[in-house]
Amino acid sequence: MKYIFVAGGVMSGVGKGVATASIGRILKSKGFKVTAIKIDPYINVDAGTMNPTEHGEVFVTEDGAECDQDVGNYERFLDENIYTDNYLTTGRVYQTVINRERNLEYNGKCVEVVPDIPNEVIGTIKRAGKKVKADFVLIEIGGTVGEYQNLLFLEAGRMMKILHPKDVFFILVSYLPVPAKIGEMKTKPTQYAVRTLNSAGIQPDMILARSVLPIDEPRKKKIAVNCNVASEDIISAPDVESIYDIPLNFEDENLGNRILKKFGLKSKPSNLLDWEKFVKKTKNVSKIVEIGIVGKYFETGHFTLADSYISVIEAIKHACFANNVKPKISWLSAESYEKDPKILSELKKFDGIIVPGGFGSRGIEGKIKAIEYCRKNKIPFFGLCLGMQLAVIEFARSACGLKDATSAEFKQISENILIDVMPEQKVLLKEKRYGGTMRLGSYNCKLKQGTKSKIAYKSELISERHRHRYELNNNYKEILEKKGMVFAGVNPESDLVEIIELPNHPFFVATQFHPEFKSSPLRPHPLFKAFIKACIK
Ligand code: GLN
């Protein structure tokens, strides 16, 4: 097994995750089995307890780990499932070590930060690789070199190199600014970043030069001389129109074979034909579909950040390209509909509306208003998780006359709790055991004949990923059904409702699960495809 560590220099947010995922795609296309690991330096045990506006989307794996959004990038680029062991945080590592110590597993030894914490990291990395019999394990270390927080993870990399000198490789993803007033790409911050990495005992084998522009030869040489890295191993990584261009750009720089060479492996051709075909499509489509996303996790100060909904955005893109259109996505603030319902009429200009997942009561009534507008005005609507729960509440209020219909998440006392806390969740909430305890990961769903969902999936039994505590209260199924709501998908084991639909509408489908987590460029999701098709119509 070969290990490739990816660390960031100069600043955060330069696309380390996508770079890691792209390297993985290239190695996979050369016939290797690849997996990727994300290390977050947070004390949080997983990403499930982090505010999405601050940290971005919480991605959920098949086996129910609540991860950083980069894990979503790995899955989308690699087209491989990523599992719990592939996501590490400082909190999780310490928790494991401490539990072990309490169980006397260190045999009376004094347990220390170094080497016991890095050793735990190394053990997890190896386990994750072994689980899928990987030839290459990519390990992305979150944060930037020089930070206090990720030092122990760099230390794990350094120690691993001593253990397996021929099998460990380090990549630094750096940033080269081109200050507007100077008009020249500057290499000094990268030189400092390499020196900082050196002081942690690590010499990078390769540098990815992120910048607005491609890096030229003189600057490659400058970095080569100052940073002890061969000029050929400084890979140009300019800003791109689409993240899906990146594997192809890296291949133009011969990245894959440079890595193989460093490991003493023979060069191998890459087979990125299907990827190229997809990328070509993204460039050639011109027809636009306008999608509005009614949410609340994108307003931060003066900026709009779409990171909280990244898998939804990518799933829309995949489905659009599969339908030969491209999306124009607009962020619609649920709270603005509460303040001024007149704004709702803006929904008319969209080809389709998505109400994605969310937590807590902020913005809920605005989302319900938007759903009502879509239902009454026959605008294609796709609800995801909370989006399904609110579609049920809206329908109960407007169509079934249950004016006080609500969810136990927003109001504990009401005559009509349409969305109730799942029985096994009750005790967890009472004991305040919030972390990692939702209904998480993959569960089965049986589809009903003749529904839009069944037609889209072309199969009767499907499996999708979940992240929720609340669920449609089955006591209300009859009354909802009587007024025309169709339960298109149900979990065969627990009888929980997984999909609702309204017939006599161009597209009104909502899921309790998160279909967006299973969409990839080469395997666009059937429900997203069906939604986009309805939007085009
Ligand atoms: N807050 C809702 C629940 O916990 C929906 C969760 C979500 O949208 N992911 O059930």
Side-chain angles (χ1 to χ4, degrees):
M1 220 144 54
K2 309 283 180 205
Y3 306 96
I4 301 176
F5 284 86
V6 181
V10 179
M11 66 182 199
S12 65
V14 295
K16 238 183 323 149
V18 171
T20 306
S22 300
I23 296 166
R25 182 80 215 178
I26 290 170
L27 292 170
K28 179 176 175 171
S29 85
K30 290 181 183 292
F32 296 106
K33 179 82 187 163
V34 183
T35 192
I37 294 175
K38 168 79 192 233
I39 295 179
D40 259 341
Y42 305 101
I43 298 288
N44 302 60
V45 172
D46 56 42
T49 53
M50 292 189 227
N51 181 343
T53 314
E54 227 175 86
H55 187 70
E57 169 187 274
V58 178
F59 186 81
V60 181
T61 60
E62 279 293 291
D63 59 352
E66 296 175 282
C67 306
D68 178 76
Q69 55 180 3
D70 277 329
V71 175
N73 282 323
Y74 304 161
E75 284 205 350
R76 287 188 280 272
F77 277 69
L78 285 174
D79 247 321
E80 302 277 346
N81 281 337
I82 303 284
Y83 299 99
T84 304
D85 271 342
N86 293 48
Y87 182 59
L88 277 161
T89 66
T90 301
R92 206 178 127 208
V93 176
Y94 271 86
Q95 193 184 48
T96 314
V97 169
I98 291 169
N99 286 343
R100 235 189 230 156
E101 182 276 328
R102 292 288 83 186
N103 297 342
L104 268 182
E105 284 178 44
Y106 291 93
N107 296 324
K109 192 175 125 313
C110 171
V111 183
E112 296 182 271
V113 170
V114 179
D116 292 302
I117 296 295
N119 273 340
E120 182 58 38
V121 176
I122 292 171
T124 312
I125 292 172
K126 288 186 174 174
R127 210 166 49 235
K130 267 199 201 119
K131 183 180 168 96
V132 295
K133 299 194 176 68
D135 301 306
F136 286 95
V137 184
L138 294 156
I139 307 113
E140 180 192 347
I141 301 181
T144 313
V145 294
E147 262 169 35
Y148 195 68
Q149 301 207 66
N150 56 16
L151 250 180
L152 286 171
F153 297 110
L154 291 172
E155 182 66 1
R158 187 191 68 83
M159 283 165 58
M160 223 168 164
K161 177 99 185 171
I162 299 173
L163 287 170
H164 313 280
K166 294 205 178 87
D167 299 328
V168 176
F169 188 92
F170 289 101
I171 298 179
L172 179 74
V173 182
S174 195
Y175 190 77
L176 293 103
V178 185
K181 288 265 157 39
I182 303 172
E184 185 199 344
M185 186 183 286
K186 304 307 274 179
T187 65
K188 195 71 84 198
T190 297
Q191 297 178 36
Y192 286 135
V194 171
R195 244 164 256 169
T196 311
L197 200 54
N198 289 160
S199 67
I202 293 170
Q203 169 60 36
D205 298 287
M206 180 176 268
I207 294 175
L208 301 188
R210 284 283 297 114
S211 185
V212 286
L213 300 170
I215 183 170
D216 59 2
E217 279 310 312
R219 261 142 286 262
K220 276 193 181 180
K221 287 211 176 92
K222 204 168 190 176
I223 297 178
V225 171
N226 284 288
C227 302
N228 276 319
V229 177
S231 191
E232 297 91 321
D233 294 321
I234 296 161
I235 306 290
S236 182
D239 286 352
V240 282
E241 213 177 290
S242 152
I243 51 170
Y244 299 114
D245 295 350
I246 295 172
L248 304 179
N249 290 359
F250 282 176
E251 252 324 65
D252 285 345
E253 296 270 302
N254 202 24
L255 174 141
N257 282 335
R258 288 301 300 178
I259 292 179
L260 296 189
K261 189 168 178 207
K262 280 282 177 87
F263 277 122
L265 299 168
K266 269 203 251 69
S267 288
K268 263 185 156 189
S270 306
N271 180 0
L272 287 162
L273 278 177
D274 43 1
W275 199 268
E276 272 166 26
K277 224 165 102 190
F278 169 77
V279 168
K280 216 177 193 171
K281 209 168 210 182
T282 67
K283 313 255 182 244
N284 291 340
V285 289
S286 55
K287 194 174 166 198
I288 287 175
V289 158
E290 291 218 32
I291 308 292
I293 299 184
V294 183
K296 65 173 178 181
Y297 296 127
F298 41 75
E299 296 136 329
T300 146
H302 291 232
F303 303 95
T304 301
L305 278 185
D307 268 19
S308 314
Y309 302 107
I310 189 84
S311 292
V312 178
I313 299 170
E314 296 310 313
I316 293 172
K317 285 191 206 163
H318 307 152
C320 277
F321 297 129
N323 275 299
N324 292 309
V325 292
K326 64 177 173 191
K328 181 169 174 245
I329 297 173
S330 302
W331 302 105
L332 309 174
S333 154
E335 283 165 291
S336 72
Y337 300 140
E338 291 169 7
K339 285 179 204 133
D340 184 5
K342 280 206 290 299
I343 309 176
L344 275 171
S345 63
E346 72 175 1
L347 295 175
K348 229 184 250 163
K349 65 172 198 250
F350 293 99
D351 299 307
I353 295 293
I354 290 183
V355 175
F359 294 84
S361 50
R362 181 166 69 88
I364 288 302
E365 292 304 323
K367 288 182 189 177
I368 292 177
K369 282 198 173 80
I371 294 170
E372 181 184 14
Y373 195 91
C374 291
R375 185 171 63 81
K376 292 186 173 158
N377 292 285
K378 308 256 185 243
I379 300 168
F381 161 77
F382 194 13
L384 310 173
C385 201
L386 179 70
M388 182 199 96
Q389 299 174 354
L390 299 181
V392 170
I393 293 173
E394 190 283 312
F395 191 77
R397 287 182 189 175
S398 309
C400 308
L402 306 172
K403 295 281 173 252
D404 61 347
T406 188
S407 160
E409 184 176 4
F410 322 131
K411 212 171 164 187
Q412 263 98 38
I413 301 162
S414 166
E415 281 277 303
N416 292 298
I417 302 276
L418 266 282
I419 307 296
D420 206 355
V421 60
M422 288 183 273
E424 60 277 25
Q425 289 289 331
K426 273 191 185 136
V427 51
L428 297 169
L429 289 180
K430 210 167 138 203
E431 292 171 6
K432 299 200 166 156
R433 280 157 57 198
Y434 300 125
T437 57
M438 282 188 239
R439 180 172 179 243
L440 291 167
S442 221
Y443 286 93
N444 288 333
C445 169
K446 198 168 169 243
L447 300 176
K448 199 183 213 144
Q449 285 299 340
T451 57
K452 287 196 176 81
S453 305
K454 171 77 187 15
I455 294 166
Y457 277 102
K458 297 192 185 78
S459 124
E460 198 173 310
L461 193 67
I462 56 149
S463 157
E464 292 282 1
R465 297 186 194 169
H466 298 71
R467 181 170 185 252
H468 63 125
R469 279 189 214 283
Y470 300 85
E471 175 59 49
L472 195 149
N473 180 345
N474 278 345
N475 296 335
Y476 287 93
K477 263 173 106 174
E478 209 180 306
I479 168 163
L480 292 165
E481 214 161 22
K482 236 187 228 151
K483 295 290 175 188
M485 181 166 274
V486 174
F487 303 110
V490 172
N491 175 278
E493 287 88 31
S494 62
D495 212 27
L496 295 181
V497 170
E498 298 280 11
I499 312 177
I500 60 120
E501 291 186 13
L502 291 181
N504 306 321
H505 189 287
F507 192 95
F508 195 101
V509 177
T511 62
Q512 183 56 77
F513 51 79
H514 291 269
E516 67 270 25
F517 292 148
K518 283 179 75 163
S519 179
S520 71
L522 305 184
R523 276 182 308 124
H525 193 281
L527 279 186
F528 274 90
K529 269 201 302 194
F531 168 64
I532 296 297
K533 216 180 204 166
C535 296
I536 296 170
K537 253 196 199 153

